[in-house]
Amino acid sequence: MIIGTIVNGVVIDHIPAGRGMELYSKMKLDRLECEVALIKNAPSGKCGKKDILKVNEEIKINYEILGYIDPRITVNIIKDGQRVQKMHPALPETLIDVIFCRNPRCITSVEQEISHVFRLTDREHGVYRCVYCDAQADKKEK
Amino acid sequence: MRSLIDILDLSKEEIDDLIGTACDIMDHPEQYSEICKGKKLATLFYEPSTRTRLSFEAAMYELGGNCLGFSEANSSSAAKGESVSDTAIIVSNYADIIAMRHPKEGAPLVASMKATVPIINAGDGGHNHPTQTLTDLLTIYKECGTFDNLTVGLCGDLKFGRTVHSLIAALSRYTNVKFILISPDELKVPDYVKDQYLDPKNIEYSETEDLEAVIPELDILYMTRVQRERFFNEADYIRLKNRYILTPQKLVSAKKTMKILHPLPRVNEISVSVDDDPRAVYFRQTLYGKFIRMALILKLLEVQ
Ligand SMILES: [Zn+2]
């Protein structure tokens, strides 16, 4: 696959530099059979450096995960070699099994089958809290 | 079908309604003595809390209902590894309403997602304890006659004490309530509590380490205990535990009408010599706790 020649697929652009791999694993792109490219530290006028993910297949995009990583990410849908749509993910209201509660006192720490659910409690600062214990999501990944 | 997991699940109007019902029960207990006949309350206590459990059970018995349940995890299905969800589904077949106490935060919420009967959070770790907050509110209402225009002093562990945070959240909905937050620097109210409940509504509050300096201003003095399990270091615990001890001498400059509340059990933060002071209402508070739980059971069971 020659980078930049996606025929039918998705280009996820303006990923904060260093977080492309995290997005790759959170979106479970490793499970795809098609061509997938992760470009790290591409130059970007907007934010200095950025990561880019290119997927040569029409995939269902989880905007929750993208929005959580950074709402400034852009999603470009490519059809027949042309960009047909460009979107920004919004900061999602809830995140289900995207991030995990690390509070050892939380019920999710002892009952493994419970989904880890986080709710956006402060849109301005992008603060998420666990719905079970109200612990604030760890922002270290950002 | 509704559950009560967090005090903020209830609107201000619903809380006022519950307080109204509780007052009516106190005035006319005979009218309520058979109202829950044939209904059962399950008390699922995964950790012991005898006072809270007895309060719930007494509440249900006084409504003419019955109780079943367990009082510690060792004697329950949890000891065999059953999930909270499964237990909630099964107990829904046996009881009309469930009061759950659990050492893990969020367990009653998990239960409420699967149960087919209302769940009351009777305390989930140090997280939420909405019936304690309802108890505090009924106590304030009965003792002061209003929530408006009160100056409320909260003293002790204001950092980890979630009952304090819930009380701030609930009282912040009333008119012209002023808070004085009295704690050592290490145990101050966390910023997110101020950001969520005080600052957006421009509620007046001040922070101090000096109880005696502010005691003359207070209409309510809410004392809390410092919990050992919150500290890694025994020396810190002992130092902070002994920081505020309410004695008759400290009460000399307080208003005659001030009321002293405490969620109990106390350790040493209120001297027993204060117990006979007419301003000490913390034992009456436990009686109010039973009446507000009666009102809550009626509301969640939708009994008229
Ligand atoms: Zn949690």
Side-chain angles (χ1 to χ4, degrees), chain A residues 1-12:
Chain A
M1 166 180 165
I2 301 161
I3 306 293
T5 55
I6 297 274
V7 183
N8 287 300
V10 186
V11 176
I12 302 171

Side-chain angles (χ1 to χ4, degrees), chain B residues 140-195:
Chain B
I140 292 171
Y141 185 77
K142 287 297 283 186
E143 297 291 337
C144 302
T146 180
F147 294 112
D148 299 333
N149 307 311
L150 294 176
T151 297
V152 180
L154 301 158
C155 177
D157 172 9
L158 308 187
K159 181 179 181 188
F160 299 112
R162 291 289 187 115
T163 57
V164 167
H165 306 164
S166 299
L167 189 58
I168 291 173
L171 284 175
S172 69
R173 296 162 160 184
Y174 293 91
T175 309
N176 198 27
V177 175
K178 180 182 164 190
F179 294 97
I180 300 185
L181 310 171
I182 309 148
S183 71
D185 200 42
E186 296 95 322
L187 297 175
K188 279 165 73 171
V189 171
D191 287 341
Y192 74 85
V193 174
K194 297 180 210 161
D195 293 346

Side-chain angles (χ1 to χ4, degrees), chain A residues 97-142:
Chain A
D97 289 332
V98 174
I99 43 176
F100 297 92
C101 186
R102 297 205 175 96
N103 174 4
R105 299 182 305 277
C106 181
I107 185 67
T108 56
S109 70
V110 287
E111 294 205 356
Q112 266 70 39
E113 75 284 7
I114 300 173
S115 282
H116 286 238
V117 182
F118 280 76
R119 194 171 292 138
L120 183 63
T121 56
D122 179 349
R123 185 168 286 277
E124 190 187 340
H125 299 102
V127 175
Y128 283 89
R129 289 185 182 276
C130 172
V131 295
Y132 304 107
C133 69
D134 291 308
Q136 190 171 333
D138 208 340
K139 285 192 143 185
K140 277 186 207 124
E141 287 176 70
K142 283 210 169 178

Side-chain angles (χ1 to χ4, degrees), chain B residues 62-235:
Chain B
E62 289 199 22
L63 294 167
N66 280 296
C67 304
L68 62 160
F70 52 82
S71 55
E72 54 176 329
N74 291 341
S75 59
S76 75
S77 50
K80 301 188 190 107
E82 184 172 88
S83 70
V84 165
S85 293
D86 285 2
T87 303
I89 293 167
I90 293 159
V91 175
S92 294
N93 295 329
Y94 302 144
D96 302 283
I97 187 165
I98 294 170
M100 176 181 282
R101 174 98 169 190
H102 200 288
K104 291 290 176 185
E105 300 175 6
L109 176 63
V110 170
S112 73
M113 291 165 162
K114 286 290 168 63
T116 52
V117 301
I119 301 275
I120 301 172
N121 181 357
D124 55 341
H127 183 219
N128 281 320
H129 194 358
T131 59
Q132 178 65 54
T133 308
L134 288 174
T135 299
D136 299 340
L137 292 172
L138 179 61
T139 306
I140 292 171
Y141 185 77
K142 287 297 283 186
E143 297 291 337
C144 302
T146 180
F147 294 112
D148 299 333
N149 307 311
L150 294 176
T151 297
V152 180
L154 301 158
C155 177
D157 172 9
L158 308 187
K159 181 179 181 188
F160 299 112
R162 291 289 187 115
T163 57
V164 167
H165 306 164
S166 299
L167 189 58
I168 291 173
L171 284 175
S172 69
R173 296 162 160 184
Y174 293 91
T175 309
N176 198 27
V177 175
K178 180 182 164 190
F179 294 97
I180 300 185
L181 310 171
I182 309 148
S183 71
D185 200 42
E186 296 95 322
L187 297 175
K188 279 165 73 171
V189 171
D191 287 341
Y192 74 85
V193 174
K194 297 180 210 161
D195 293 346
Q196 263 179 296
Y197 307 121
L198 298 176
D199 295 332
K201 298 183 200 165
N202 284 320
I203 290 168
E204 192 180 338
Y205 69 91
S206 59
E207 296 183 283
T208 177
E209 294 198 30
D210 190 348
L211 171 61
E212 279 161 283
V214 295
I215 206 167
E217 297 174 49
L218 305 179
D219 298 306
I220 303 280
L221 173 58
Y222 193 98
M223 298 291 295
T224 63
R225 75 183 167 282
V226 174
Q227 294 184 353
R228 172 178 271 124
E229 56 268 29
R230 295 295 185 184
F231 295 90
F232 292 113
N233 179 332
E234 182 75 7

Side-chain angles (χ1 to χ4, degrees), chain A:
Chain A
M1 166 180 165
I2 301 161
I3 306 293
T5 55
I6 297 274
V7 183
N8 287 300
V10 186
V11 176
I12 302 171
D13 202 353
H14 297 110
I15 302 166
R19 297 197 72 184
M21 196 61 207
E22 184 191 344
L23 200 51
Y24 179 90
S25 58
K26 281 206 155 91
M27 291 180 74
K28 303 192 170 68
L29 299 182
D30 56 322
R31 295 184 188 174
L32 293 177
E33 297 287 331
C34 70
E35 296 157 294
V36 178
L38 165 60
I39 299 156
K40 279 181 64 174
N41 299 323
S44 165
K46 209 165 158 186
C47 34
K49 278 181 184 177
K50 63 182 182 179
D51 288 3
I52 306 168
L53 272 166
K54 299 191 177 193
V55 181
N56 203 13
E57 189 178 284
E58 289 173 43
I59 55 164
K60 200 172 164 287
I61 306 237
N62 184 333
Y63 286 93
E64 282 188 0
I65 296 172
L66 296 180
Y68 171 69
I69 299 261
D70 194 331
R72 288 168 300 183
I73 288 172
T74 52
V75 178
N76 304 281
I77 310 286
I78 313 291
K79 285 214 168 98
D80 301 323
Q82 300 288 318
R83 185 170 80 190
V84 293
Q85 218 178 349
K86 179 179 178 178
M87 286 168 291
H88 284 280
L91 218 48
E93 279 298 323
T94 47
L95 295 170
I96 299 172
D97 289 332
V98 174
I99 43 176
F100 297 92
C101 186
R102 297 205 175 96
N103 174 4
R105 299 182 305 277
C106 181
I107 185 67
T108 56
S109 70
V110 287
E111 294 205 356
Q112 266 70 39
E113 75 284 7
I114 300 173
S115 282
H116 286 238
V117 182
F118 280 76
R119 194 171 292 138
L120 183 63
T121 56
D122 179 349
R123 185 168 286 277
E124 190 187 340
H125 299 102
V127 175
Y128 283 89
R129 289 185 182 276
C130 172
V131 295
Y132 304 107
C133 69
D134 291 308
Q136 190 171 333
D138 208 340
K139 285 192 143 185
K140 277 186 207 124
E141 287 176 70
K142 283 210 169 178

